[in-house]
């Protein structure tokens, strides 16, 4: 049991050992026997007193009562008084008596030392310093005049937040001391003069009695870095209603167990850093009446999420707008109106409806707390709480009716009958921007302990609670009889508790959102070829080129021989040696006389030179004649050997000379498909179509699935006879192909040929069962995936319908249905299917990723960001995690440049939110780490460019170009980077490639065009603006820029031509660029220089 459980008795406490080094006190009810003179000298200051011994790993709390003002006693202003100081349930301490003064100067100080743990932090947050003003009367009698309370939470546990624009700045400490004036509440207000009215002078306010208090701590309770990773939970307990009728408000009597002799307590188990769980107690619930209406709809969801306000960007000067950094309780009122539109994604399922609902608006009995209990959750406990929620373990709150301390000797036989519990589903706390939940939660009876006559101790209750956290909270059926049915009083009444749980900051797992300290180069794989491999590759290329030239030369010689000597000679002709020699001499004479020999030698010379350079590494003259002779011998032998190899391949090894094209084309075939899939994922349909067309044109013989795809498309267009031919042909080619059999069965189902349909579907199912394992997807899912890739929606819809009918609701079929509706551009139905998938499994990351993708397509940027952040907060990762990172990075980059619209500029010229920019860079680099693609590296290059890291931007864009050198946006952004670095020749080459590849991003073209105009490169600027107008012909801004670029280009052309003619050298004019003309506002154009589209 924790220390908090031992300090729950009423005052005055006698706990010992709870506070290390607590000051000793006299006997209970007695004060120090100190008789003060009429004028009491001030007490020694804190510096004059001996220092208290500091507890290792603890803190010292110093409380100083400086003075009191405007106090009155039984004899008016002449009052002998002293003050009693107590913190929580620790031992109190009393000051000496100050005599005959309404303004006593106590200068009383007390110090207590504590060992810091979660319980102590909770105590500082929930307990108050209590000051009791006591009058000293004759004959050692005393009388309590009044008391005052002082909270320390806002002073010692409110840490300044870190500046979002300076993440590396040191964390700030809270104030370790404060001084405050605390009003005194008198027990008998008639002793005081009436408070002054508004018409009286301000000096009348001094008549209000008050304490002057100074409080200090030796060190912070929690280090700032621990607070940053921990959390505070504010648990507001309102009431429990309705309560059993036998609970009465009549004065407590020992013999009447139904009288008001009870107090009500809530117990809950929270994760702790020092142990697995700790017990949190919320006491002091009281039975009372109320006339206020209590609205409770049993059919409504038990809880509603509380959302944080949407984050705001920083101002130009780096400061945060007012209210942008509010969290916790300060945001509760702001969130109430904003959560209604988004709570459908995070609310839990509604509880079972109760049979009886109380009327509202009439006087009724309730158990009331009306208190907000603060619970400190250390970093390790935050991880434990997150893991419990991810493991579907709800939070169980125990409701206990206990005897008041003065009736503790009475035996309560109904202690187990009125012990209840309420189960809270906290799964919504794992979602971004969700900082809490509120609602009325049903109360059910707790499981009775083995001995009903005696209540279980609190420690045993904690053990029982921790062991039953996963027990279903559904009450027993109504038909159940016996003792259990009689004890279930709360269910029969429909009792509920009004609760609100509020976190200081979201419980979102920010591990995946933490900035990456590595540079861009750390994520780029090294592509360094060792020197020996480099030389070997070049020498091998030279040998291949030489052998290829030899083979061509041999073919040419054979053709020339046939032309000169006649084509009738065959290998079977019987010739003697003299005839063969004659023909050889004749042919050699023909080669020398006609010049063919010289032509063949020159044709072969280049290949021989390459062999000498790359194979023998001879690139300089020889020093001696002997070295030359030795080299000539070596090269002659090597060239003759290579010549024999080439000739033998031509005449004797024709099969080996053939190279199977399918061996070398597989990699390119798959790479083109990857490019097409990436483009289609980004909804660049025209680019994806061009990649697919290239695949078909290059590798037509590899498209075996084209028969099935084209058959499905024919069926969608109601060309059933043509579709039948393709499906049947595919099955005949591969009779054991499950996909072909299933598609043919679905086709017969569409054409109402039920017997044939059942035949092929059954054959496909048997074949699938025999060839795959038990966990493999069904044939309907295989068909649906294939048809979705082919955009054959009719077949996919039928296959998914069969899947849902046979196997019931599952996440993946619903997600595939949503993908089908997205292809049909029916976004409303697509979102409905995703919601169905979330209803099946609320924390499925693929469903949240699909929801984010749908919202991203519809340009619902804030909602998409929320969904993607939800994906990162969950434990599992979706199938397309790289896409989540890429799109979340683009959203962060959009937020970072919200003030500049769709164009990003360098930090020196833009209001760039550095926090969002760094988060965007982190997301892109994580995508590059998981699955490096041109899109992920392009995003990283954009962010690095926006941050002014030109070197890293060039590395990222170069890597994107390596992965896909046909991405036009990569070339355009490289042009933009080169312009910023004043590398104009490279910029022209890059934009030429982008235009040749058909860039379709108008924002990028506009930004590059402005950058070219700023650099006085008017010709490429004209081309950029021309293409931009083709994409967006109604964009007036681009139209004006296009006209300006044409005018400047024309003036420059004429001026340079005139200057060339005046010099008399018109042929030397090269169209060199001149400075901007008078019609161009250079400052305006430079404001967008270096920008590129998000």
């Amino acid at each position: 049991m924790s220390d908090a459980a031992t300090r729950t008795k009423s005052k005055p406490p006698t706990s010992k050992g709870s506070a290390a080094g607590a000051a000793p006190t006299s006997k209970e009810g007695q004060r120090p026997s100190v008789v003060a003179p009429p004028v009491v000298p001030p007490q020694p200051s804190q510096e004059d007193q001996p220092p208290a011994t500091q507890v290792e790993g603890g803190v010292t709390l110093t409380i100083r009562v400086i003075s009191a003002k405007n106090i009155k006693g039984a004899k008016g202003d002449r009052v002998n008084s002293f003050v009693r100081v107590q913190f929580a349930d620790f031992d109190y301490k009393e000051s000496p008596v100050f005599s005959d003064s309404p303004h006593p100067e106590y200068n009383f100080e007390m110090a207590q030392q504590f060992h810091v743990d979660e319980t102590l932090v909770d105590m500082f947050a929930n307990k108050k310093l209590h000051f009791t003003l006591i009058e000293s009367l004759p004959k050692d009698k005393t009388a309590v005049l009044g008391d005052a309370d002082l909270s320390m939470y806002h002073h010692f546990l409110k840490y300044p937040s870190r500046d979002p624009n300076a993440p590396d700045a040191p964390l700030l400490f809270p104030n370790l001391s404060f001084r405050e004036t605390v009003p005194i509440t008198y027990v008998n207000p008639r002793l005081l003069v009436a408070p002054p009215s508004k018409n009286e002078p301000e000096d009348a306010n001094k008549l209000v009695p008050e304490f002057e208090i100074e409080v200090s701590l030796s060190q912070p309770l929690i280090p700032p870095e621990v607070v940053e990773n921990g959390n505070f939970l504010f648990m507001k307990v309102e009431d429990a209603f309705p309560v059993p009728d036998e609970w009465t408000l009549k004065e407590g009597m020992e013999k009447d167990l139904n009288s008001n002799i009870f107090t009500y307590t809530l117990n809950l188990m929270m994760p702790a850093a020092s142990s697995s769980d700790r017990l949190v107690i919320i006491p002091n619930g009281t039975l009372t009446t109320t006339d206020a209406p209590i609205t409770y709809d049993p059919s409504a969801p038990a809880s509603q999420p509380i959302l944080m306000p949407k984050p705001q960007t920083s101002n130009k000067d780096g400061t945060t707008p007012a209210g942008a950094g509010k969290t916790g309780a300060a945001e509760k009122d702001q969130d109430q109106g904003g959560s209604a539109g988004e709570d459908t994604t995070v609310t839990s399922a509604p509880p079972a409806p109760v049979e009886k609902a109380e009327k509202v608006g009439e006087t009724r009995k309730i158990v009331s707390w009306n208190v907000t209990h603060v619970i400190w959750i250390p970093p390790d406990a935050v991880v434990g709480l997150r893991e419990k929620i991810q493991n579907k373990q709800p939070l169980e709150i125990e409701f206990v009716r206990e005897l008041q301390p003065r009736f503790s000797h009475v035996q309560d036989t109904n202690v187990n009958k009125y012990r209840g519990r309420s189960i809270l589903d906290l799964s919504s706390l794992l979602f971004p921007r969700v900082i809490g939940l509120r609602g009325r939660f049903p109360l059910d009876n707790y499981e009775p302990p083995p001995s009903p006559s005696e209540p279980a101790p609190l420690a045993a209750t904690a053990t029982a609670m921790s062991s039953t956290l996963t027990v279903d909270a559904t009450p027993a059926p109504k038909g159940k009889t016996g003792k259990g049915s009689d004890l279930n009083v709360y269910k029969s009444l429909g009792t509920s508790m009004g609760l609100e749980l509020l976190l200081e900051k979201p419980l979102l797992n920010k591990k995946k959102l933490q900035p990456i300290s590595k540079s861009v180069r750390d994520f780029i794989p090294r592509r360094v070829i060792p020197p020996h491999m480099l030389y070997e590759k070049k020498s091998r290329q030279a040998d291949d080129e030489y052998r290829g030239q030899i083979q061509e030369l041999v073919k040419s010689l054979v053709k020339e021989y046939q032309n000169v000597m006649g084509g009738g000679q065959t290998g079977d002709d019987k010739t003697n040696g003299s005839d063969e020699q004659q023909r050889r001499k004749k042919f050699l004479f023909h080669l020398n006389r006609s010049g063919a020999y010289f032509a063949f030698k020159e044709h072969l010379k280049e290949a021989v030179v390459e062999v000498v350079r790359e194979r023998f590494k001879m690139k300089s003259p020889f020093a001696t004649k002997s070295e030359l002779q030795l080299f000539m011998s070596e090269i002659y032998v090597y060239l003759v050997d290579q010549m024999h190899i080439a000739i033998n391949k031509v005449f004797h090894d024709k099969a080996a000379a053939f190279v199977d094209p399918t061996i070398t084309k597989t990699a390119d075939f798959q790479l083109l498909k990857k490019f097409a899939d990436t483009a289609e994922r980004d909804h660049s349909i025209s680019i994806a179509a061009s990649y697919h067309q290239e695949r078909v044109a290059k590798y037509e013989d590899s498209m075996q699935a084209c028969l099935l795809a084209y058959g499905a498309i024919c069926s969608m267009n109601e060309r059933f006879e043509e579709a039948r031919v393709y499906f049947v042909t595919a099955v005949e080619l591969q009779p054991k192909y499950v996909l072909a059999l299933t598609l043919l069965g679905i086709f017969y189902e569409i054409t109402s040929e039920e017997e044939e349909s059942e035949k092929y579907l059954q054959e496909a199912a048997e074949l699938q069962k025999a060839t795959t394992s038990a966990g493999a997807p069904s044939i309907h899912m295989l068909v649906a995936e294939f048809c979705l890739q082919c955009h054959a929606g009719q077949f996919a819809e039928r296959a998914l319908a069969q899947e849902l009918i046979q196997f019931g609701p599952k996440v993946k079929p619903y997600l595939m249905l949503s993908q089908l509706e997205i292809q049909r551009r029916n976004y409303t139905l697509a979102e409905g299917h995703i919601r169905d998938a979330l209803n099946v499994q609320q924390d499925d990351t693929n469903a949240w990723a699909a929801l984010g993708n749908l919202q991203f397509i519809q340009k619902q940027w804030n909602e998409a960001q929320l969904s993607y952040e939800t994906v990162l907060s969950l434990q599992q990762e979706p199938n397309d995690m790289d896409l989540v990172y890429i799109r979340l990075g683009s959203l962060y980059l959009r937020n970072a440049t919200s003030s500049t619209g769709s164009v990003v500029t360098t930090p020196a010229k833009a209001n760039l939110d550095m926090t969002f920019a760094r988060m965007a860079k982190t997301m892109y680099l994580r995508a590059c780490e998981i699955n490096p693609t041109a899109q992920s590296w392009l995003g990283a290059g954009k962010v690095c460019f926006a941050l002014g890291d030109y070197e890293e931007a060039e590395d990222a864009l170069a890597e994107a170009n390596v992965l896909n050198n046909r991405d036009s946006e990569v070339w355009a952004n490289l042009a933009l980077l080169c312009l910023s670095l004043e590398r104009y020749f490279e910029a022209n080459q890059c934009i030429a490639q982008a235009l040749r590849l058909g860039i379709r991003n108008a924002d990028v073209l506009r930004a590059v065009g402005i950058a070219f105009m700023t650099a006085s490169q008017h010709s490429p600027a004209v081309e950029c603006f021309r293409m931009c107008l083709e994409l967006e012909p109604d964009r007036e801004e681009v139209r004006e820029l296009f006209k300006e670029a044409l005018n400047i280009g024309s003036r420059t052309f004429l001026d340079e031509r005139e200057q060339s003619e005046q010099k008399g050298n018109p042929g030397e004019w090269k169209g060199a660029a001149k400075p901007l003309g008078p019609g161009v506002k250079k400052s305006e154009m430079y404001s967008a220089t270096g920008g590129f589209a998000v």
Side-chain angles (χ1 to χ4, degrees):
M1 193 190 315
S2 63
D3 291 341
T6 66
R7 296 190 287 263
T8 57
K9 302 300 180 182
S10 61
K11 300 175 184 178
T14 57
S15 302
K16 297 181 180 180
S18 300
T25 61
S26 59
K27 294 181 180 180
E28 183 178 349
Q30 296 184 4
R31 55 182 172 81
S33 55
V34 177
V35 179
V39 179
V40 181
Q43 298 290 323
S45 63
Q46 184 176 358
E47 291 79 2
D48 299 332
Q49 296 181 0
T53 303
Q54 178 69 34
V55 179
E56 185 178 357
V59 297
T60 300
L61 173 67
T62 304
I63 308 164
R64 184 184 177 196
V65 183
I66 301 173
S67 63
K69 296 180 181 179
N70 306 320
I71 66 172
K72 294 182 180 296
K75 297 181 180 181
D77 292 341
R78 300 181 62 83
V79 54
N80 302 328
S81 63
F82 64 96
V83 62
R84 177 184 295 166
V85 183
Q86 185 179 24
F87 172 52
D89 297 323
F90 297 108
D91 295 337
Y92 62 84
K93 193 173 182 180
E94 296 176 348
S95 70
V97 177
F98 199 98
S99 302
D100 296 335
S101 176
H103 309 294
E105 297 288 338
Y106 296 115
N107 282 322
F108 169 69
E109 183 178 291
M110 65 171 289
Q112 284 185 309
Q113 297 175 351
F114 306 94
H115 177 74
V116 180
D117 58 3
E118 297 98 322
T119 304
L120 182 70
V121 177
D122 289 359
M123 195 175 301
F124 269 79
N126 298 291
K127 300 293 185 180
K128 298 181 179 180
L129 292 174
H130 188 72
F131 304 91
T132 306
L133 180 63
I134 305 175
E135 183 180 9
S136 179
L137 299 175
K139 298 181 180 180
D140 291 336
K141 294 183 179 180
T142 59
V144 176
L145 296 178
D147 58 4
D149 291 317
L150 177 60
S151 174
M152 297 182 291
Y153 169 72
H154 294 282
H155 299 283
F156 293 150
L157 292 176
K158 279 293 185 181
Y159 287 67
S161 58
R162 187 196 291 268
D163 184 3
N165 292 319
D168 299 330
L171 295 169
L172 301 178
F173 288 84
N175 294 326
L176 295 181
S177 64
F178 66 93
R179 188 167 181 170
E180 191 166 327
T181 300
V182 184
I184 303 173
T185 303
Y186 256 61
V187 176
N188 185 5
R190 289 179 296 178
L191 295 176
L192 300 172
V193 178
S197 63
K198 295 182 180 179
N199 298 326
E200 293 182 3
E202 296 180 358
D203 294 341
N205 293 333
K206 297 180 180 179
L207 299 178
V208 178
E210 57 190 15
F211 283 127
E212 187 75 15
I213 308 296
E214 186 177 82
V215 185
S216 63
L217 271 179
S218 61
Q219 62 184 20
L221 286 172
I222 316 170
E225 59 273 10
V226 177
V227 173
E228 188 178 38
N229 297 320
N231 213 330
F232 281 98
L233 174 63
F234 303 89
M235 186 169 180
K236 182 179 180 181
V237 185
E238 297 175 353
D239 52 52
F241 163 82
V243 298
D245 294 334
E246 55 268 25
W247 295 3
T248 63
L249 293 171
K250 62 184 180 179
E251 186 178 356
M253 299 175 59
E254 296 183 9
K255 297 182 179 180
D256 187 1
L257 292 179
N258 289 326
S259 61
N260 195 8
I261 63 174
F262 299 97
T263 182
Y264 302 88
T265 304
L266 297 182
N267 302 320
L268 63 149
M269 301 297 296
M270 291 294 296
S274 56
S275 60
S276 57
D277 288 311
R278 68 184 178 101
L279 179 65
V280 177
I281 302 173
I282 305 177
N284 302 328
T286 58
L287 184 65
T288 183
T289 59
T290 181
D291 295 330
I294 300 176
T295 304
Y296 175 51
D297 184 5
S299 62
S303 63
Q304 296 291 330
I306 304 174
L307 303 180
M308 288 180 63
K310 294 179 181 179
Q312 302 181 15
T313 57
S314 303
N315 294 328
K316 296 180 181 180
D317 55 358
T319 60
T320 303
K326 294 181 180 179
T327 57
E331 296 166 341
K332 180 181 65 176
D333 297 334
Q334 302 177 14
D335 295 327
Q336 289 181 358
S339 61
E342 297 174 301
D343 59 0
T344 56
T345 63
V346 293
T347 54
S348 57
V354 297
E355 296 184 13
K356 185 178 180 180
E358 294 288 339
K359 297 180 180 180
V360 297
E362 59 184 18
T363 302
R364 59 181 55 82
K365 292 181 293 185
I366 63 171
V367 176
S368 177
W369 283 268
N370 273 332
V371 66
T372 300
H373 193 84
V374 183
I375 303 173
W376 162 241
I377 310 177
D380 294 340
V382 170
V383 176
L385 179 60
R386 191 183 297 125
E387 290 177 353
K388 284 194 173 186
I389 298 175
Q390 290 172 347
N391 295 333
K392 309 295 184 182
Q393 296 183 10
L395 176 66
E396 184 174 351
I397 300 178
E398 182 190 21
F399 175 84
V400 181
R401 190 182 78 157
E402 298 176 325
L403 290 165
Q404 296 177 10
R406 62 193 180 102
F407 298 104
S408 59
H409 59 279
V410 179
Q411 184 177 7
D412 183 13
T413 58
N414 294 323
V415 62
N416 294 318
K417 176 181 178 181
Y418 296 123
R419 175 173 291 168
R421 68 172 180 178
S422 183
I423 293 181
L424 280 62
D425 181 11
L426 305 181
S427 58
S428 59
L429 293 180
L430 291 182
F431 303 141
R433 289 185 52 221
V434 177
I435 58 173
L437 51 92
R438 65 167 68 90
R440 298 200 66 85
F441 299 88
L443 188 65
D444 193 11
N445 275 79
Y446 202 83
E447 294 293 334
S451 179
S453 59
E454 296 182 1
L458 209 53
T461 304
T463 305
M465 289 177 63
S466 62
S467 63
T468 57
L469 280 176
T470 57
V471 177
D472 188 5
T474 306
K478 292 189 290 185
K480 184 177 179 180
T481 60
K483 183 182 295 185
S485 179
D486 296 337
L487 292 176
N488 205 346
V489 293
Y490 298 125
K491 181 182 184 304
S492 60
L493 290 171
T495 305
S496 64
M497 288 196 303
L499 300 174
E500 179 180 286
L501 277 71
L502 196 64
L503 292 166
E504 187 181 43
K505 49 197 170 189
L507 200 61
L508 172 69
N509 184 4
K510 295 185 178 181
K511 182 179 180 181
K512 299 176 183 177
L513 296 174
Q514 295 299 322
I516 293 179
S517 58
K518 297 180 180 180
S519 65
V520 169
R521 290 188 177 180
D522 295 332
F523 295 90
I524 299 177
R526 295 179 59 85
R527 297 185 178 91
V528 178
I529 302 177
H532 68 280
M533 293 185 62
L534 179 64
Y535 296 143
E536 181 181 352
K537 181 179 179 181
K538 290 183 177 180
S539 61
R540 186 166 56 249
Q541 290 177 349
D543 292 345
D544 293 341
E545 179 67 20
Y546 173 72
R547 287 194 293 266
Q549 294 294 337
I550 289 291
Q551 291 178 357
E552 291 183 5
L553 184 59
V554 169
K555 294 177 182 178
S556 301
L557 287 172
V558 170
K559 186 177 180 180
E560 190 75 17
Y561 182 84
Q562 291 177 347
N563 292 334
V564 174
M565 308 303 297
Q569 299 291 336
T570 63
D572 296 334
D573 295 339
K574 296 181 180 180
T575 59
N576 53 31
S578 60
D579 293 338
E580 184 177 354
Q581 286 292 332
Q582 289 295 328
R583 285 196 300 271
R584 182 173 178 273
K585 290 181 180 180
K586 183 178 179 180
F587 181 62
L588 292 176
F589 177 77
H590 167 74
L591 292 178
N592 284 286
R593 188 183 62 177
S594 63
Y597 176 80
F598 179 78
F600 291 151
K601 184 181 68 172
E602 291 296 323
H603 184 72
L604 193 62
K605 182 185 294 183
E606 184 177 355
V608 173
V609 171
E610 287 297 318
V611 171
V612 173
R613 286 179 177 177
E614 303 300 339
R615 172 62 65 178
F616 292 89
K617 306 293 186 301
M618 295 302 297
K619 299 180 181 179
S620 60
F622 296 96
T624 61
K625 188 175 182 180
S626 60
E627 290 182 2
L628 175 62
Q629 293 295 333
L630 180 62
F631 172 75
M632 294 296 293
S633 300
E634 293 178 356
I635 190 63
Y636 178 78
V637 172
Y638 182 79
L639 291 176
V640 170
D641 290 342
Q642 294 296 319
M643 179 187 68
H644 290 161
I645 293 173
I647 294 175
N648 290 335
K649 282 188 176 182
V650 172
F651 293 102
H652 301 290
D653 195 8
K654 295 183 179 180
F658 173 76
V659 179
D660 186 3
T662 60
I663 298 176
T664 58
K665 73 182 182 182
T666 304
D668 186 41
F669 184 77
Q670 295 298 330
L671 187 62
L672 289 173
K673 184 179 185 302
K674 182 179 180 181
F675 292 164
D677 292 343
T678 302
E680 185 176 359
R681 193 170 63 176
D682 293 335
H683 289 265
S684 301
I685 305 301
S686 59
I687 299 177
S690 65
Y691 286 126
H692 283 305
Q693 289 170 1
E694 183 175 350
R695 292 176 71 208
V696 175
K698 282 186 174 181
Y699 313 114
E700 186 177 357
D701 56 331
S702 300
M703 301 296 290
Q704 298 178 357
C706 285
L707 291 172
L708 299 177
Y710 194 71
I713 293 173
C714 291
S715 179
M716 289 176 58
N717 296 325
E718 297 184 356
R719 293 152 49 190
F720 295 117
E721 292 302 322
E722 191 175 353
R724 185 193 304 272
V725 172
Y726 284 103
F727 285 135
V728 172
T729 304
V731 172
E732 290 176 350
L733 292 175
Q734 293 182 336
K736 301 297 182 180
Y737 190 20
V738 176
L739 182 61
L741 293 171
T742 308
L743 281 172
L744 183 57
I746 295 177
F747 169 76
Y748 284 132
E749 181 182 352
I750 294 174
T751 57
S752 301
E753 301 178 47
E754 297 179 359
E755 293 183 0
E756 294 293 326
S757 172
E758 185 177 356
K759 169 188 172 182
Y760 284 104
L761 288 177
Q762 184 176 359
E763 184 179 354
E766 293 176 354
L767 186 61
Q768 173 79 357
K769 185 177 180 180
T771 56
T772 59
S773 59
S778 65
I779 55 175
H780 301 294
M781 295 298 294
L782 294 175
V783 170
E785 290 178 2
F786 175 78
C787 294
L788 282 175
Q789 292 178 0
C790 301
H791 290 253
Q794 186 179 15
F795 279 81
E797 191 171 17
R798 286 182 175 268
L800 292 172
Q802 290 292 331
E803 178 74 14
L804 290 173
I805 291 173
Q806 291 185 13
F807 302 101
K810 289 185 177 180
V811 173
K812 191 171 183 180
Y814 282 128
L815 294 182
M816 297 182 73
L817 283 172
S818 70
Q819 185 179 352
L820 174 62
E821 297 300 336
I822 291 175
Q823 292 179 357
R824 297 172 175 173
R825 300 190 181 277
N826 194 341
Y827 299 135
T828 303
L829 285 179
E831 184 175 358
H833 290 310
I834 296 176
R835 300 292 183 190
D836 293 337
L838 288 173
N839 289 334
V840 175
Q841 186 175 351
Q842 192 178 19
D843 60 347
D844 186 83
T845 53
N846 289 305
W848 281 104
L851 181 60
N853 294 336
L854 176 61
Q855 293 162 342
F856 190 89
I857 293 170
Q858 301 178 81
K859 297 184 179 181
Q860 300 174 359
W861 308 125
N862 294 329
E863 292 78 3
Q865 178 179 334
L866 182 64
S867 299
Y868 287 139
E869 289 177 344
T870 304
V871 174
L872 299 188
S873 68
L874 298 175
Q875 190 173 10
Q876 301 296 326
E877 291 188 353
N879 297 331
D880 54 349
M881 191 65 191
D882 58 324
L883 179 62
V884 173
Y885 280 132
I886 291 173
R887 290 187 170 176
L888 187 56
S890 69
L891 294 175
Y892 286 152
L893 186 57
R894 177 178 292 274
N895 291 335
T897 60
S898 57
S899 60
T900 57
S902 60
V903 176
V904 178
T905 55
T906 57
K909 305 188 278 294
N911 299 324
L912 187 68
D913 191 306
M914 302 300 290
T915 302
F916 276 117
R918 292 190 185 95
M919 293 174 66
K921 181 179 178 181
T922 298
M923 296 299 102
Y924 281 123
L925 289 181
R926 291 193 185 278
C928 296
E929 187 177 19
I930 293 176
N931 181 25
T933 60
Q935 293 300 314
S936 60
W937 281 113
L938 173 61
K942 291 178 181 179
V943 179
C944 293
F945 185 87
L947 291 170
D949 299 331
Y950 294 138
E951 185 177 354
E952 288 196 342
E954 185 171 7
D955 290 339
L957 293 174
E959 182 66 17
N961 204 316
V962 169
L963 295 175
N964 184 6
N965 60 357
R966 299 166 63 177
D967 193 319
S968 57
E969 279 199 44
V970 175
W971 285 108
N973 282 281
L974 278 171
L976 201 56
L977 177 64
C978 292
L979 287 171
S980 300
L981 298 175
E982 299 183 357
R983 288 151 47 181
Y984 302 126
F985 179 75
E986 296 177 40
N988 278 275
Q989 288 182 319
C990 292
I991 196 60
Q993 286 290 337
L995 294 173
R996 184 181 67 84
L997 293 171
I999 182 172
R1000 309 295 297 175
N1001 193 322
D1003 290 329
V1004 173
L1005 287 169
R1006 172 186 169 276
V1008 176
I1010 293 176
F1012 271 117
M1013 287 188 66
T1014 306
S1016 301
Q1017 303 282 324
H1018 307 108
S1019 297
V1022 169
E1023 293 301 320
C1024 291
F1025 293 141
R1026 188 197 309 276
M1027 181 64 70
C1028 188
L1029 284 176
E1030 289 182 6
L1031 298 173
E1032 296 181 354
D1034 298 331
R1035 197 165 179 176
E1036 189 63 29
E1037 178 190 5
V1038 179
R1039 190 181 301 274
E1040 293 297 326
L1041 289 171
F1042 180 56
K1043 292 163 58 176
E1044 196 73 31
L1046 283 176
N1047 292 335
I1048 296 173
S1050 300
R1051 289 198 299 268
T1052 303
F1053 177 84
L1054 294 176
D1055 291 344
E1056 292 181 351
R1057 183 172 181 178
E1058 182 179 356
Q1059 292 177 5
S1060 178
E1061 291 176 351
Q1062 290 176 357
K1063 292 180 180 179
N1065 298 319
E1068 294 181 1
W1069 175 75
K1070 298 181 181 179
K1074 293 295 181 181
L1076 295 174
V1080 180
K1081 297 180 180 180
K1082 186 172 181 179
S1083 61
E1084 294 181 0
M1085 294 189 177
Y1086 189 73
S1087 65
T1089 302
F1092 52 83
V1094 182

